[in-house]
Amino acid sequence: MQKTFLILLLALNYFVGFSQNSEVLADSYYKRGEFKKALVIYQNLESQNPNTNKYINKIVDTHQQLEQFEEAQNILLERLSKYRSPSFLIELGYNYQLKDSLDRATELYEEAIAVIDRNPSFIYGIARTFENHSLLDQAIRVYNKGKSLTPDRDYSLQLARIYGDQGNVEQMFASYIDYIAYRPNYLNNIKRAISDFISENSINKNNIFLRKLLLKNIQQQPEVYWYEMLSWLYVQERAYNKSFIQEKALYKRNPESLDRIIELAITALNDKDSNTAQVIFTYILEITQDVSIALTAHQYLLEIKTENATKKELDEIDMAYNDLFKSFGKSELTIPLQLAYGQFLAFYLNDTEKASSFLRESLKLKISEFQEAKVKLLLADILVLQEKFNEALIFYSQIQMQLKNSTISQEARFKVAKTSYYKGDFDWAESQLKILKSSTSQLIANDALDLKLLISDNKYEDSTQTALKYYAKADLLSFQNKTDQAINLLDKILTEHKGETITDQALFQQAKLFEKKQLYNKAEFNYLEIIKDYNEDILADDAHYYLAELYNTHLDRPEEAKQLYEKIIFEFQDSIYFIDARKKFRVLRGDNINQ
């Protein structure tokens, strides 16, 4: 008996496996357009499974692909003679529609829709069958009917998807808003779903409609999620000041955490809206009782003030840092502020000795391994600034040993390579960069690849490596904020080593330095030189993008910017700038939908 059961079980497993493989093969034939071969297999599978409808739709569909409408019709009529299944009514109606018998098709669609009056459990199945045949108006009718027949259920998400497919953005937004009211915890999913339909442009008609919809809901039903959604919309429009108004309203309703407001301030700062960031951080200082949050706000406010500060203002900022240390002391809690002050001393007051001494004192505090690594990393950067390369390499190496495989360890390894490159030790730099190409940090991996390519492309052309040494020195001068000297040294490369492979990189690096000094016409000349003479090389897309940005943001030449963005879209589709270029091109073109 047991043996017989085992044989039956093996036979069943074989049959199931055979059926699955046959179905995969049939599906493959179907996808390749070999419908006759697919049909034979589907028919065999259906004959082996006569008590299910699993393969009927595939057989009907395949007949329709072969324009064998009568055969499909006969199969569906035979099934309907046994049971008036609403899905088969729709399938038969669609078959009539393919035969241009629209009146008969409409009758069958209406019969299928009428089923839900008697049995609302068919709502989803009927609507999905209509959707499968792109009969979207009928699907909308079913879901809308479902609203009145089953008020305890919500069909907003399904309706939003259909309206989106139809290009009816306003109805799509309205349905998504309905769904948020039904399930507020899906708010982030809805943001992602509609992000492709709104623009940075606040007067885009989709933005205007969504904004009005949200404001209306806030007036009628002032729930937290409407404020959050409106704040998000303002962020997409880069209207951080307006987003802040919503975030303040949110905080007053639920004053538990300032995380959202802090995140908004940092977002505004990263997007160069330092005025709004300053207002937000000042507000945070006024209301917070948390010492760590207050320190963070103080730090960001001082860093904002530091940018473009006069000599007198820099002295005042120096005093402000020291006042904070008097108030809060120097401990594990104030390490971020100590790092900011070390950076300030070295890179803004140009007092590298005081910065080094200050950071060495920080290392004596009782701090975590990670904090120690952060201090050592900055200290090593300052030693590079002082051209004390060997001492800097010791600190970078210590970080690598102490926190192996961490992101900060990989950053330290990159800085080892960069320091070796500054020294002119290109072979050692290249060996470190090879390891970093697979870094878990995409930013480090990209920077490592760029530097490796620079070295490998240029170190063999000249046995003395003179041009590459000049370039590395110019790079160091730029890091030391000696911009004029860096520009002059790059000029030396462009004069004495014109035509060598490093020329386009020297032009590009010099252009960025010209931009830093607001010498925009000189930067434009360099970018145009790269486009003219090196349009097939690695920096071609960079030159197009940065020149477009120059025209768009500084030289007030939007038409020329638009042409360059368009060129990136069509000629540099693998470029890292492709997505940004497409987005900015559409804004300049005045598109209504950002997708």
Side-chain angles (χ1 to χ4, degrees):
M1 179 71 180
Q2 191 173 5
K3 186 176 179 182
T4 304
F5 176 76
L6 183 61
I7 291 169
L8 286 170
L9 184 62
L10 289 170
L12 179 62
N13 286 337
Y14 172 81
F15 178 75
V16 170
F18 177 78
S19 296
Q20 288 174 341
N21 290 336
S22 297
E23 186 173 356
V24 169
L25 180 61
D27 290 344
S28 176
Y29 281 137
Y30 182 94
K31 288 174 185 174
R32 296 205 304 263
E34 298 181 48
F35 301 117
K36 289 182 179 178
K37 292 180 181 179
L39 182 60
V40 171
I41 299 174
Y42 287 140
Q43 287 172 332
N44 286 335
L45 288 167
E46 199 277 329
S47 66
Q48 293 163 10
N49 299 271
N51 297 321
T52 72
N53 292 324
K54 182 177 181 181
Y55 300 106
I56 289 297
N57 286 337
K58 290 189 175 186
I59 291 170
V60 167
D61 183 23
T62 310
H63 276 305
Q64 289 169 346
Q65 296 296 334
L66 292 166
E67 297 186 4
Q68 296 172 352
F69 303 121
E70 294 303 321
E71 289 84 343
Q73 179 178 313
N74 291 334
I75 292 168
L76 291 166
L77 286 170
E78 190 270 331
R79 292 284 164 158
L80 285 165
S81 67
K82 298 174 183 174
Y83 172 58
R84 299 294 281 182
S85 159
S87 64
F88 283 140
L89 287 169
I90 297 167
E91 295 295 345
L92 182 58
Y94 183 66
N95 196 68
Y96 276 116
Q97 186 168 327
L98 292 174
K99 293 166 60 179
D100 292 327
S101 300
L102 297 180
D103 289 342
R104 182 63 181 131
T106 301
E107 289 174 13
L108 290 161
Y109 296 154
E110 293 300 323
E111 185 180 346
I113 292 170
V115 170
I116 64 174
D117 289 318
R118 302 188 301 275
N119 194 340
S121 64
F122 279 106
I123 289 168
Y124 286 110
I126 291 172
R128 288 299 299 168
T129 306
F130 279 128
E131 285 185 71
N132 290 340
H133 292 303
S134 297
L135 298 167
L136 302 183
D137 289 335
Q138 288 86 346
I140 289 169
R141 279 183 59 201
V142 172
Y143 285 128
N144 280 328
K145 201 169 187 182
K147 287 181 181 180
S148 56
L149 291 171
T150 55
D152 56 320
R153 295 182 185 176
D154 188 271
Y155 305 97
S156 305
L157 204 59
Q158 290 81 5
L159 283 164
R161 186 184 63 247
I162 296 171
Y163 287 129
D165 289 342
Q166 288 183 324
N168 189 341
V169 178
E170 291 189 1
Q171 284 294 337
M172 181 191 73
F173 281 171
S175 297
Y176 277 134
I177 292 297
D178 287 345
Y179 194 71
I180 291 170
Y182 175 66
R183 287 200 173 165
N185 57 319
Y186 272 70
L187 181 62
N188 288 332
N189 301 62
I190 302 306
K191 288 178 189 175
R192 284 192 292 272
I194 68 174
S195 61
D196 282 344
F197 295 87
I198 60 172
S199 164
E200 287 182 5
N201 184 358
S202 62
I203 61 171
N204 174 299
K205 68 177 183 180
N206 292 343
N207 291 47
I208 292 170
F209 180 79
L210 180 58
R211 188 160 54 249
K212 286 180 177 178
L213 206 55
L214 291 168
L215 288 168
K216 180 182 176 183
N217 276 274
I218 287 171
Q219 290 169 357
Q220 294 178 349
Q221 186 188 14
E223 298 289 350
V224 166
Y225 41 84
W226 301 132
Y227 290 100
E228 186 178 336
M229 187 76 174
L230 185 57
S231 173
W232 171 83
L233 175 61
Y234 285 134
V235 168
Q236 307 315 299
E237 296 173 348
R238 303 169 72 182
Y240 303 112
N241 55 334
K242 293 180 180 178
S243 178
F244 178 45
I245 293 169
Q246 303 307 315
E247 291 298 335
K248 278 198 292 187
L250 273 171
Y251 182 74
K252 286 173 183 175
R253 291 172 66 88
N254 185 23
E256 290 184 8
S257 171
L258 282 164
D259 289 350
R260 288 179 57 85
I261 294 180
I262 293 169
E263 184 183 345
L264 175 63
I266 294 170
T267 301
L269 187 58
N270 289 338
D271 202 22
K272 298 182 174 56
D273 186 355
S274 54
N275 290 334
T276 300
Q278 192 167 2
V279 169
I280 298 172
F281 282 123
T282 301
Y283 172 78
I284 290 168
L285 271 181
E286 290 169 357
I287 63 171
T288 187
Q289 301 298 315
D290 187 298
V291 174
S292 63
I293 290 175
L295 282 167
T296 298
H298 277 301
Q299 179 186 329
Y300 275 110
L301 283 169
L302 287 172
E303 288 175 351
I304 291 167
K305 290 174 184 175
T306 301
E307 294 295 328
N308 304 315
T310 63
K311 177 66 174 72
K312 182 183 176 183
E313 287 168 338
L314 288 174
D315 291 337
E316 291 170 356
I317 292 166
D318 188 21
M319 290 172 60
Y321 270 113
N322 284 292
D323 286 344
L324 287 171
F325 291 129
K326 286 175 188 174
S327 299
F328 295 98
K330 293 174 188 172
S331 66
E332 184 178 14
L333 188 65
T334 62
I335 283 295
L337 191 67
Q338 292 175 60
L339 288 166
Y341 185 53
Q343 184 95 9
F344 171 77
L345 288 171
F347 290 89
Y348 290 92
L349 289 188
N350 299 316
D351 193 342
T352 52
E353 291 299 333
K354 186 175 179 180
S356 294
S357 175
F358 177 80
L359 290 171
R360 288 177 196 276
E361 289 299 313
S362 299
L363 286 174
K364 295 176 184 177
L365 298 170
K366 190 177 179 180
I367 56 179
S368 69
E369 262 194 341
F370 180 77
Q371 288 178 317
E372 182 183 332
K374 294 287 284 183
V375 174
K376 285 182 175 180
L377 196 69
L378 178 56
L379 182 54
D381 288 348
I382 293 167
L383 289 166
V384 170
L385 203 63
Q386 297 171 301
E387 299 190 35
K388 296 178 180 178
F389 299 127
N390 292 335
E391 197 176 348
L393 287 169
I394 291 170
F395 280 112
Y396 289 139
S397 299
Q398 285 176 358
I399 295 166
Q400 285 181 254
M401 293 297 293
Q402 289 168 352
L403 294 168
K404 290 180 179 178
N405 301 320
S406 65
T407 300
I408 196 169
S409 170
Q410 291 169 9
E411 187 178 354
R413 184 186 290 277
F414 175 71
K415 294 197 173 192
V416 165
K418 197 81 186 266
T419 304
S420 302
Y421 154 77
Y422 288 147
K423 287 174 63 182
D425 189 352
F426 301 124
D427 289 334
W428 178 246
E430 200 171 10
S431 70
Q432 299 300 298
L433 295 166
K434 283 178 183 175
I435 298 169
L436 286 167
K437 284 194 299 180
S438 56
S439 169
T440 52
S441 164
Q442 192 60 50
L443 183 61
I444 293 172
N446 289 342
D447 287 344
L449 179 60
D450 287 344
L451 186 56
K452 184 189 177 302
L453 288 173
L454 171 71
I455 294 170
S456 59
D457 286 350
N458 295 288
K459 72 174 186 176
Y460 297 114
E461 187 164 18
D462 175 7
S463 58
T464 63
Q465 299 176 339
T466 304
L468 186 56
K469 287 174 182 174
Y470 283 161
Y471 188 91
K473 179 64 176 176
D475 217 348
L476 176 61
L477 288 167
S478 175
F479 176 66
Q480 293 170 323
N481 210 23
K482 297 174 181 177
T483 308
D484 289 331
Q485 290 173 252
I487 288 171
N488 291 336
L489 192 50
L490 290 166
D491 260 336
K492 193 177 178 74
I493 296 171
L494 294 171
T495 303
E496 297 178 7
H497 298 271
K498 188 175 182 179
E500 293 183 17
T501 53
I502 205 166
T503 304
D504 59 334
Q505 284 146 328
L507 284 165
F508 185 74
Q509 184 71 0
Q510 193 182 55
K512 291 200 287 184
L513 293 173
F514 282 141
E515 285 198 61
K516 185 178 178 181
K517 290 184 66 67
Q518 299 182 5
L519 299 170
Y520 300 125
N521 290 326
K522 288 189 175 184
E524 177 195 13
F525 177 83
N526 279 29
Y527 291 135
L528 287 171
E529 283 290 294
I530 296 169
I531 291 169
K532 178 169 69 77
D533 296 332
Y534 301 94
N535 204 38
E536 301 298 321
D537 291 349
I538 196 167
L539 290 173
D541 61 325
D542 299 79
H544 280 85
Y545 183 77
Y546 278 94
L547 182 56
E549 290 287 279
L550 198 62
Y551 287 150
N552 197 23
T553 57
H554 295 299
L555 297 179
D556 194 25
R557 289 153 68 177
E559 280 304 312
E560 289 169 83
K562 187 170 75 172
Q563 290 169 17
L564 288 163
Y565 289 135
E566 186 176 26
K567 203 165 183 183
I568 293 169
I569 295 167
F570 289 106
E571 296 183 19
F572 300 97
Q573 295 181 1
D574 294 332
S575 171
I576 59 170
Y577 306 112
F578 177 82
I579 293 173
D580 274 347
R582 183 175 61 181
K583 190 175 181 181
K584 290 175 180 180
F585 170 74
R586 291 182 171 181
V587 169
L588 288 173
R589 193 173 62 178
D591 287 7
N592 285 326
I593 296 178
N594 183 33
Q595 57 178 334

